[in-house]
């Protein structure tokens, strides 16, 4: 990526640096530069909500690029290209970037097939670089620590990532949180296990570096999500090749669930197994095939229930050396938010992208969210409720709601 140039600065009171663009306050401060934040910036530009101050620690494609490049996507390529072509601002970046580039590469791939997250991450990097000052987007490297709403204005405080830099403040009409999510873990009735972070387990390269090839390792994997099955596949590939002393114990509460094509829609579109991970699971992990699968030489399945889960863990984890939990994600910590001097706890509205005050139920003015931490709530034709997670799904949601994101 190119050099990130901050807006013009002057020194204000109490050690803060005030940031302005062309001596105007910003129409929006966007917090986070993953796929959600990129999509928000593009949609705000299409709505002429500029200038925009964009704040992120790295401006490096978010978690997709940092942790998940090796992950096989469960999304067809055509949905990544639809995201890339979702707004005029993105189309402008594509036209301005010499080919071949990340978007032209996606367009050259078979659109009905899946790819690796790396291809989507490269697209995010390209869009991040292209959304620059020439489009009234000003990137500021740092972390938003708190924000206060008063007199129809958000005053946003930004802590620098570089300790040699000063903290700063900026005024804006809107504050949009695209702060992302991270894997969660739960308590276990044993304390001798070495924990393998899910981000590490999803990367064959990091996993190989973590686990010694010449030492025994018995790894418990908890969960039956898409991520959990991918971890099982990564571990099996190691056990069947470079790590012959590796053994796997898989803990699951329920049968595997797959996304199913229906007439014009997909059952379990956001929660079911898809792509090559689904194929691998059907061929190796289903009860009818596991015993005869090569996976069974390295993996033991342990069925759990809510009623006896603690006892099962205490018994079955006794001979394990490591554990990886793939049981969900949690929202990253949010900045401290105040409205007219009172600290508020925001509650997200999954249909509008706005926030309510959890205590009073009143709408928090000028505050919005998007991305994996704040997705759209959807109901399928059979009445099942899910949360729409994925780049193209973020884009669809944003195109509906960003035009309604008023300053007050």
């Amino acid at each position: 990526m190119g050099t990130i140039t901050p807006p013009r600065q002057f020194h204000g009171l109490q050690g803060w640096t005030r940031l302005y663009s062309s001596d105007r306050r910003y129409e929006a401060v966007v917090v986070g530069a993953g796929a959600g934040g990129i999509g928000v910036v593009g949609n705000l530009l299409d709505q002429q909500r500029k200038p925009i101050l964009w704040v992120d620690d790295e401006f490096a494609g978010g978690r997709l690029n940092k942790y998940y490049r090796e992950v096989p996507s469960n999304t067809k390529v055509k949905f990544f290209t639809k995201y890339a072509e979702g707004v005029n601002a993105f189309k402008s970046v594509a036209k301005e970037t010499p080919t071949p580039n990340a978007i032209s590469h996606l367009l050259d791939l078979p659109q009905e097939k899946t790819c690796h997250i790396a291809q989507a991450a490269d697209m995010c990097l390209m869009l991040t670089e292209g959304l620059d000052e020439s489009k009234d987007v000003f990137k500021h490297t740092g972390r938003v620590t708190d924000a206060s709403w008063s007199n129809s204005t958000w005053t946003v405080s930004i802590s620098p990532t570089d300790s040699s830099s000063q903290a700063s403040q900026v005024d804006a009409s809107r504050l949009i949180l695209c702060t992302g999510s991270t894997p969660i873990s739960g308590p276990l009735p044993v304390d001798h296990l070495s924990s393998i972070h899910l981000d590490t387990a999803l990367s064959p390269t990091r996993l190989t570096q973590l686990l010694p090839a010449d030492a025994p390792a018995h790894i418990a994997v908890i969960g039956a999500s898409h991520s959990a099955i991918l971890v099982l596949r990564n571990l099996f590939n190691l056990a069947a090749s470079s790590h012959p002393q590796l053994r796997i114990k898989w803990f699951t509460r329920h049968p595997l669930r797959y996304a199913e094509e229906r007439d014009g829609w997909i059952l379990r579109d956001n929660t079911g197994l898809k792509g090559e991970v689904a194929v691998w699971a059907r061929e190796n992990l289903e009860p009818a095939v596991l015993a005869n699968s090569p996976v069974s030489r390295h993996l033991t399945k342990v069925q759990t229930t809510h009623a006896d889960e603690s006892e099962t863990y205490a018994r079955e984890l006794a001979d394990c050396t490591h554990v990886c939990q793939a049981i969900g994600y949690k929202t990253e910590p949010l900045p401290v938010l105040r409205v007219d001097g009172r600290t508020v706890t925001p509650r997200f509205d999954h249909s509008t992208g706005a926030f309510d005050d959890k205590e009073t139920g009143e709408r928090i003015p000028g505050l919005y969210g998007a991305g994996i931490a704040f997705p759209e709530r959807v109901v399928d034709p059979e009445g099942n409720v899910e949360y729409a997670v994925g780049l193209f799904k973020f884009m669809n949601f944003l195109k509906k709601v960003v035009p309604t994101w008023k300053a007050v």
Side-chain angles (χ1 to χ4, degrees):
M1 290 178 59
T3 301
I4 295 172
T5 304
R8 203 160 60 246
Q9 305 181 1
F10 75 88
H11 297 293
L13 300 175
Q14 300 176 338
W16 291 96
T17 300
R18 299 287 293 172
L19 304 184
Y20 283 93
S21 167
S22 303
D23 296 322
R24 296 172 294 173
R25 79 175 190 177
Y26 292 92
E27 281 295 313
V29 172
V30 179
V31 185
I38 296 167
V40 166
V41 171
N43 275 273
L44 287 171
L45 290 175
D46 273 24
Q47 294 295 316
Q48 300 300 308
R49 305 298 189 190
K50 56 186 181 179
I52 298 166
L53 184 69
W54 196 5
V55 184
D56 190 73
D57 284 344
E58 298 176 305
F59 290 99
R63 296 178 66 81
L64 287 184
N65 184 59
K66 189 170 185 177
Y67 298 114
Y68 302 145
R69 290 185 64 87
E70 295 178 85
V71 173
S73 170
N74 60 6
T75 300
K76 292 180 179 179
V77 172
K78 68 180 181 182
F79 292 113
F80 291 137
T81 58
K82 286 182 178 181
Y83 173 91
E85 297 173 338
V87 289
N88 290 327
F90 288 4
K91 294 175 184 177
S92 176
V93 172
K95 289 179 181 178
E96 295 165 0
T97 306
T99 55
N101 57 50
I103 292 177
S104 67
H105 174 64
L106 280 171
L107 290 168
D108 287 340
L109 295 175
Q111 297 296 295
E112 294 296 327
K113 302 291 186 181
T114 59
C115 61
H116 273 73
I117 292 296
Q119 280 76 49
D122 288 342
M123 173 189 66
C124 288
L125 290 170
M126 174 180 160
L127 292 171
T128 300
E129 184 169 4
L131 296 170
D132 58 17
E133 290 188 30
S134 69
K135 298 176 177 59
D136 264 348
V137 178
F138 298 85
K139 302 187 184 89
H140 186 67
T141 304
R143 181 177 293 269
V144 172
T145 56
D146 61 85
S148 297
W149 173 266
S150 181
N151 298 322
S152 300
T153 299
W154 280 106
T155 299
V156 182
S157 301
I158 306 168
S159 175
T161 53
D162 180 359
S163 59
S164 65
S165 301
Q166 283 191 298
S168 51
Q169 286 185 329
V170 63
D171 293 338
S173 301
R174 299 164 186 78
L175 175 62
I176 298 99
L177 304 176
C178 307
T179 44
S181 297
T182 53
I184 62 174
S185 58
L188 296 171
V190 296
D191 58 9
H192 69 280
L193 300 173
S194 296
S195 178
I196 301 177
H197 196 280
L198 179 59
D199 290 344
T200 299
L202 289 171
S203 166
T205 299
R206 291 190 177 101
L207 199 56
T208 302
Q209 295 169 347
L210 175 70
L211 299 171
D214 57 353
H218 198 172
I219 301 175
V221 177
I222 299 174
S225 64
H226 183 90
S227 295
I229 304 310
L230 183 55
V231 170
L232 293 178
R233 192 178 73 161
N234 289 345
L235 289 170
F236 164 71
N237 287 339
L238 284 182
S241 56
S242 59
H243 290 60
Q245 298 185 68
L246 189 155
R247 296 294 178 267
I248 309 155
K249 190 171 283 190
W250 172 35
F251 295 79
T252 178
R253 290 176 180 167
H254 56 74
L256 294 174
R257 298 166 179 166
Y258 300 87
E260 298 178 10
E261 295 276 355
R262 298 293 173 88
D263 186 15
W265 63 285
I266 302 174
L267 178 66
R268 292 186 287 272
D269 186 26
N270 296 282
T271 58
L273 301 178
K274 294 180 179 177
E276 62 182 70
V277 173
V279 172
W280 186 82
R282 289 186 189 278
E283 293 177 348
N284 294 283
L285 298 181
E286 288 293 342
V289 300
L290 177 59
N292 296 317
S293 164
V295 172
S296 66
R297 294 197 289 268
H298 309 278
L299 179 146
T300 301
K301 179 180 177 182
V302 179
Q303 193 73 43
T304 68
T305 66
H306 285 285
D308 65 359
E309 198 161 62
S310 181
E311 292 81 0
T312 301
Y313 283 153
R315 180 180 67 253
E316 296 291 343
L317 291 172
D319 61 347
C320 292
T321 58
H322 300 73
V323 63
C324 177
Q325 299 190 55
I327 57 175
Y329 285 74
K330 64 180 179 181
T331 301
E332 288 273 31
L334 299 180
V336 176
L337 300 170
R338 300 179 183 87
V339 175
D340 295 328
R342 183 176 65 85
T343 301
V344 296
T345 300
R347 179 175 56 199
F348 188 63
D349 183 333
H350 292 274
S351 62
T352 66
F355 288 91
D356 296 330
D357 181 343
K358 189 175 181 179
E359 181 178 333
T360 66
E362 296 179 355
R363 182 60 47 91
I364 299 176
L367 183 67
Y368 305 98
I372 191 169
F374 304 113
E376 181 181 18
R377 179 183 182 272
V378 294
V379 182
D380 71 24
E382 293 185 2
N384 301 300
V385 176
E386 293 186 342
Y387 293 92
V389 173
L391 273 66
F392 181 57
K393 295 170 184 174
F394 296 159
M395 179 60 70
N396 280 344
F397 185 41
L398 289 168
K399 293 182 79 168
K400 287 189 292 185
V401 299
V402 170
T404 72
W405 287 0
K406 307 302 181 184
V408 291

